[in-house]
Amino acid sequence: MYEAFAMSLPKVYHRFSLLSLHSTTSPFLPKTLFFSSSSLPLAIKRLHSPPLLRAQSRRFVAGKQFEVKSTMASSRFHHLVPVNALTAEDSGNGTGSNGAADATASVACDDDVESASVTGYRLPPFEIRDIVDAPPLPALSFSPLRDKILFLKRRSLPPLSDLARPEEKLAGIRIDGKCNTRSRMSFYTGIAIHQLMEDGSLGPEKEIQGLPEGAKINFVTWSNNGQHLAFSVRLDEDDGSSSKLRVWVANVDTGKARPLFESPDVYVNAVFDNFVWVSDSTLLVCTIPLSRGDPPKKPLVPSGPKIQSNEQRNVIQARTYQDLLKDEYDEDLFEYYATTQLVLASLDGEMKPFGPPAIYTSMDPSPDQTYILISSTHRPFSFVVPCGRFPKKVELWKANGEFVRELCDLPLAEDIPIAFNSVRKGMRSINWRADKPSTLYWVETQDGGDAKVDVSPRDIVYTQSPAPHDNEQPKILHKLDLRYGGISWCDDTLALVYESWYKTRKVRTWVISPGSEDVNPRILFDRSSEDVYSDPGSPMSRRTPAGTYVIAKVKKEDNGDTYILLNGSGATPEGNIPFLDLFDINTGSKERIWQSDKENYFETVVALMSDQKEGELSINELKILTSKESKTENTQYYLLSWPEKRACQITNFPHPYPQLESLQKEMIRYQRKDGVQLTATLYLPPGYDPSRDGPLPCLVWSYPGEFKSKEAASQVRGSPNEFAGIGPTSPLLWLARRFAILSGPTIPIIGEGDEEANDRYIEQLVASAEAAVEEVIRRGVADPNKIAVGGHSYGAFMTANLLAHAPHLFCCGIARSGAYNRTLTPFGFQNEERTLWEATSTYVEMSPFMSANKIKKPILLIHGEEDNNPGTLTMQSDRFFNALKGHGALCRLVILPYESHGYGARESIMHTLWETDRWLQKHCVYSSDVKADVSACKDNAEGTVDSQSKAVGAAGGVQELANLDDDQFHSIRRSLL
């Protein structure tokens, strides 16, 4: 049964030609439905390949050393990531070699656009395939003392068999029962250590040794003194599954690794937390209880009906969460897999249980390593909300395993209002002060958690010692009228408290003196979150000897004054120009001590590197890690040292896709008809000259956003000098197919004052798209008849609406993992706070499902069969396709087995790219604005290219492409090529 699932193929519902399935079709092949139509006005424009396309098709043969990034847009730090952050649903990195992926399922290779009637997974043209298959660069992690760098090695895309492994969908999460961890976790394949030399260069590579062959590594963490690494290891087993996770430790100096536990029966339970360093020689580990038996078995006959009741008439509104508990069996199964026995383990092999078994969700040692904050959840569970809203208990324990006290036990929270800024009642955001040995702080709402309740103050921040004396009450640290957003700690004289309110986009930063009750709090910054031009930057933090992070104070030698460092993105009308300012917290004066090159490069400050000492930092001893990139040069990292500001390059990553090294990129500005200034990034293929080569087919790829003002919507975001990062499903891949790409044209949906943005969604959507299309046509880079539109998730929703309400702009559309009927998400969606019953007309008018009868242009729908994103159920694409089909639309639906909201497996990604390329070639490159004659197409094998080129549009009437099946279409096309 397992292998049968692994062999599943994409389900394709296609309305193009009438073919019958062979009677001996494998039961594991996709369910394929075909429909015929002669009512669609679609004809061949040009069947011969343009000279430029033919000439360029040979340019992309060489070059295999590419990088795979996880997002379309340039990600400055895509390989500089938290080393324990690679968890479930990471589609950018995975398991297995590409060869193994090819062998998992039936795969057909298509360098040309072949017949869509062939079953099985397909491969896109090699120009695209070579970029996607390139090995990814390693992730980087710096040691606590900033003297070493880990290079965490990764593999490329995982095979579909990894996603096909059985998983339990429980309480809003997905669990791999065999590993007892979240399912679909990516992993590292190896760890290498480099010494960071004084001159900024890297020492020789030292590989971690002693790991078993084929080790899958996760949750890599440094000990506080930087002498050891802890990480989990799992292995592939004979049945194709992965083993349970074991904790390993490695000595950084010797590079030798070994299991932490001598017993082979102690495994990590990583459903929630995994392990944490309690001291330099001790870890607290979440383990699977040794006494646990087999998983509960689902009863053949239920004990009774499934009943949910609201006889108390509570108001419970929730978005369309996926993978919720369904019955008592699910509750038992969730409790089985999530229950953990904490174990205190030292590097010398000593271990002892820590507390009773429970569903522990987080562990947080105090900075002085005396106490540990431990959070857990427990029954009663819920069938309507995910586990994050289950009852929550927070307890305080000593690091030696002695229980201190219970801080809170919050009840089930099914009734949190759907309005933005609504929160849970009771204590929340319970943490340790980063600047104190062991002082607690937390927040409590004063509005019952309901953002619609008008009250002052709205939130109160409290602080207290871990073991208060009798009758000692928590101390009020600060009161807020907006919703609490966090604290940056420095010392008893300085902390920054943040608050915000979504409805008005207001954000405030307060200056407080935690140790001085007689110093009144004051507002430091009061601005709109949408106004990126006014963003002063964020305070840079330094690492303390305890391993926490506090605001770094910098002292100038000439005057002795103390400053903080503000690291900002530097948004301007010309694009982002990142900066680093010395900021006087008392006077508000600032001095710019570093700024990115704005002419040719895009540079950013990544981290402070001179934070090994306590106290204030001297400006002349300042060291920072920066990144540097350009339109054609990929990201490299540098060590910048004061006072000379000398830059030492510490990485030298190869260009990820040299065949596109000379691509053309420009940030363009244009205006919507209501005066709103819009921005987009225009990419053109290498060597393209519009005056010589003429307009190109163009792909517009975007995602709408909501704003409260025209001024904010008109601001420029991003930099013209950022490197063009190309992910596995990026539209920029079609630069290799000689497309112009208009990436991220701003689609602002504005609701000023009391106006709700979505009440004018369609009007503003169409106006934004019209402005973008007019601009690329005006520039002469896009053929007006060959402009396609596409998007993912809310971008897919946008795509369907544009084909329904602006069919004059686009020749076809590609919509991935979208939601198309807003009545199926009745308690809000995206940034819409109102319910269906409060804004019925808005929900209906925004839904392209309701306008399916208006969609006449070809639309390709792609969706993961296991989409767990709230709002984008796979059913959305199923029902939309049926609505389109019921009105004779030219449409195609591809359902990817085992895929979630984002696609992860190599087979799925390659097939998605093949489907997209086929759609673009057929309905954009060879679109229907020019009709040719097919009546001269004779039924003989001796027909010449000339006779076939006249096959559409001669005497006898125009034959539409919809009446040709794929084989006929491509037979004519290949003969002309």
Side-chain angles (χ1 to χ4, degrees), residues 52-66 111 125-131 657-663 684-688 726 732-739:
L52 180 62
L53 181 59
R54 292 201 304 269
Q56 291 296 332
S57 66
R58 295 185 295 273
R59 294 179 55 148
F60 307 101
V61 177
K64 304 274 185 176
Q65 189 71 21
F66 317 133
D111 280 342
F126 70 91
E127 304 102 303
I128 293 175
R129 191 166 67 243
D130 284 353
I131 295 175
Y657 19 87
Q659 66 271 65
L660 293 179
E661 185 173 4
S662 58
L663 63 79
L684 298 171
Y688 169 72
I726 302 180
L732 299 188
L733 290 166
W734 275 269
L735 289 169
R737 297 286 278 168
R738 306 301 291 174
F739 270 73

Side-chain angles (χ1 to χ4, degrees), residues 14 130 242 267 270 327 335 495 678 937:
H14 181 38
D130 284 353
S242 287
Y267 297 105
D327 50 32
E335 196 167 43
L678 304 178
C937 184

Side-chain angles (χ1 to χ4, degrees), residues 179-194:
C179 299
N180 218 107
T181 183
R182 298 291 178 97
S183 62
R184 309 182 183 214
M185 284 204 314
S186 62
F187 57 89
Y188 302 114
T189 59
I191 304 174
I193 305 172
H194 288 269

